[in-house]
Amino acid sequence: MTDLSPAPRRAYIEVEDLSVQFPTEDGLVRAVDGVTFSIDKGQTIAIVGESGSGKSVTAQAIMGLVNARTADVTGHVWVDGQDIVGMTDDELRKMRGSTMAMIFQDPMSSLHPFYRIGAQLTEAVNVHNKVSKKEARDRAIEMLQKVGIPSPEKRIEDYPHQFSGGMRQRVMIAMALINSPSLLIADEPTTALDVTVQAQIMELILELQQEYNTAVVLITHDLGIVADAADQVAVMYGARVVESGVIDDIFYKPEMPYTLGLLASVPRLNQVRADRLDPIPGNPPSPIRLPSGCVFNPRCVYKDRVEGDLCATERPALLPTDLGHMVRCHMSKEDREAVATIALGTLGRETA
Amino acid sequence: MSEIANESHTAGDAVLRVTDLQMHFPVRSKGLFPKTIGQVKAVDGVSFDVQPGETLGLVGESGCGKSTTGRTALRLLEPTSGKVEMDGIDVTRMSAKDMVPLRRKAAMIFQDPYNALNPRHTVGAIIGAPFAVQGVEPAGGVRAAVRELMDRVGLNPEHYNRYPAEFSGGQRQRIGIARAVALRPHFIVCDEPVSALDVSIQAQVINLLRDLQDEFGIAYLFVAHDLAVVRQISHRVAVMYLGHVMELTSREELYSRPLHPYTHALLSAIPVPDPRAQKNREHIMLSGDLPSPVNPPSGCVFHTRCFVAQDICKVDKPVIREFEPGHQVACHFPITEYLGSTLIVGPDPGLTPESDLEGRQDGDPMEQAGDSDLIHEPGTNYTDGTDSLIDPGPGLWR
Ligand SMILES: Nc1ncnc2c1ncn2[C@@H]1O[C@H](COP(=O)(O)OP(=O)(O)O)[C@@H](O)[C@H]1O
Ligand SMILES: Nc1ncnc2c1ncn2[C@@H]1O[C@H](COP(=O)(O)OP(=O)(O)O)[C@@H](O)[C@H]1O
Ligand code: SF4
Ligand code: SF4
Ligand SMILES: [Mg+2]
Ligand SMILES: [Mg+2]
């Protein structure tokens, strides 16, 4: 390549053909395989998919957290025009906590059990800013206040275990957002919480996102949370993005058979018992033995609509089917729309 | 369908009846001579029954006492007080030895298909274990019976000699189910049986449990924290909070006309997988976390988080009572109006004429969304005709 200048970037975050492979004793684990999506400031993209589909590894790669010694990372993660892939550890450390931050299902993965939360929060401020002790402390208290911790000037002296599960989640959010990052990655942030607390935490994340105009990558397996919080959705299956688009495209005009299966199998509060669920047959693939061709083909009930054995032999590309709506499937658009009508009959009714 | 009781059943007997059940665990001090310094009131005065062939859902947030209720109901725990009857027989203080023949009639399915199966036993041995334990020799032999069970739950009988580690999460749950139904029990406690599974696999397992119920007339006590899953499988639902049943009624009633403030809050907190509907819902945001069951609030245990609590709630514990026929609630001020918490209850798709449906699928989805007669407007009362949209649907129990 002769052109050394980066191509013009349209979105704030551009993940481009990102792949992560782990060589293991059992064979090569293809955890992430050519993932592509983009997201602007103030927007939320939800990554959905079954466990093992590569959501967390994608998040780790965006944060530059995948260890280059144990894994092979290719592709690009452009954050505001800078490529995370290939950055040195020093460069990454500067980005993490200031430009981008991450929250997890388990708050203890970002809080140290033996230090007071005040010390941890001020440390997070000091790493990236030259400020006085008092300023850092004030910032910590302000942030705790913001995430809804009552009497923060007192609680700042407490250790993580002195907080309840929901409160600890809030402390972790305070920690992640204390330097107002422009990218927040939230990996199943409410999965371990009860619904009433989950609702509080999701509301908090969305409120703070608005305040700071943060780009959010929200990883979840809960389609309800996606419907509630996302602007864009990327559906992952077998290490690949199989469909992506704005939220209405994914929920009301999906075309990829895995997305259809996912939508048809989720139990709904607005569905009655007489109505059987329509599960996807079979089981998800092993990342060591990803099926050839379309990764979904062993479970796909529509593959006979594709000529020959293309589904089993040829990997479909992620192609636009509509403005901003990408689908990875060999079927013709006509067929994809036809099977969507078959699969989502009940959903069509529900949204009608 | 599930009305068919097990033949060996005496008419009129519930497969399970618990009355004023309490299960308190001692909290001990640390040190050389631990003393009991308090009680975890895990279950604190719970009453319900499970009828033959019925599914009673038990929902609530973690720590509210669901699993303890299930385990006490099977007498895996001896209750602190109250009564447990299985098939009309009082088993509250029965010895383990006397329980043995009753164990044939009841079984349990666990949440974690990874830990519930012994990794060193073959799948065949695991599924066949109940025959050995109970000294039952099925016609045709254990091996044939196990293979038949494997086939019935959707496992390949050829995999008889494989080990649990060779199976996926969903398949392991099928192994657990096959073992649970081996002796054709009347009653199974399912403790979060699909909570650890991906949605596409969840649906497979829920359908399997429903099919087995229809085929064998098994009654389930279905413990889960996911209200959508519970709705999918239950005939009646009990909502628990901090060791108490707050509300107990039919599935249709609970999801369309909840009475307890906590049920309203729970339903409103669950996001529905339908962006437009979700954006139109109102949310009741509960403040705070669950109080500790060691030191539950006075009066109504929910009063610290309740959005309609009055002074009396702090001192006077509401007794669960029948507010309407078949609808029990433990609250001084049940909420009878629509709060935005309930759902967009559409007509049962199974009942909608095909022609009607076809027409709805094409056209501009935005326009269809505007066709909002299926959506409860916030502030709408139940009485103004919206309840005609709530259709119990065909094939229902009772
Ligand atoms: N460090 C690692 N070494 C080897 N395999 C890994 C590693 N991290 C993740 N994987 C594998 O990569 C796949 C994708 O994992 P993950 O991204 O965690 O899935 P998800 O978050 O969608 O559940 C899984 O099969 C997982 O076992
Ligand atoms: N064996 C036990 N000893 C002490 N406390 C227990 C025991 N089992 C459960 N508990 C406590 O009882 C309460 C109810 O627990 P559980 O029945 O497991 O709730 P759920 O299944 O609804 O999450 C919790 O506070 C839990 O910590
Ligand atoms: S490419 Fe073939 S197997 Fe894959 S989703 Fe499309 S039809 Fe199904
Ligand atoms: S009794 Fe009072 S505190 Fe308890 S749920 Fe009813 S209104 Fe709320
Ligand atoms: Mg993950
Ligand atoms: Mg439990």
Side-chain angles (χ1 to χ4, degrees), chain A residues 49-57 59-60 105 187-188 219-221:
Chain A
E50 308 196 20
S51 50
S53 59
K55 306 182 296 295
S56 294
V57 174
Q60 287 154 17
Q105 181 174 332
D187 190 353
E188 309 262 7
I219 295 176
T220 177
H221 62 274

Side-chain angles (χ1 to χ4, degrees), chain A residues 182-245:
Chain A
S182 40
L183 169 64
L184 176 69
I185 298 181
D187 190 353
E188 309 262 7
T190 61
T191 302
L193 303 174
D194 286 309
V195 281
T196 58
V197 182
Q198 165 179 291
Q200 296 166 2
I201 297 295
M202 282 314 299
E203 188 174 84
L204 174 66
I205 292 175
L206 297 181
E207 241 174 59
L208 294 171
Q209 168 182 34
Q210 287 207 330
E211 184 173 337
Y212 296 124
N213 198 29
T214 322
V216 174
V217 178
L218 175 66
I219 295 176
T220 177
H221 62 274
D222 183 336
L223 289 170
I225 292 181
V226 178
D228 193 42
D231 304 297
Q232 308 261 337
V233 186
V235 181
M236 282 189 76
Y237 186 84
R240 297 176 194 163
V241 171
V242 293
E243 183 159 12
S244 64

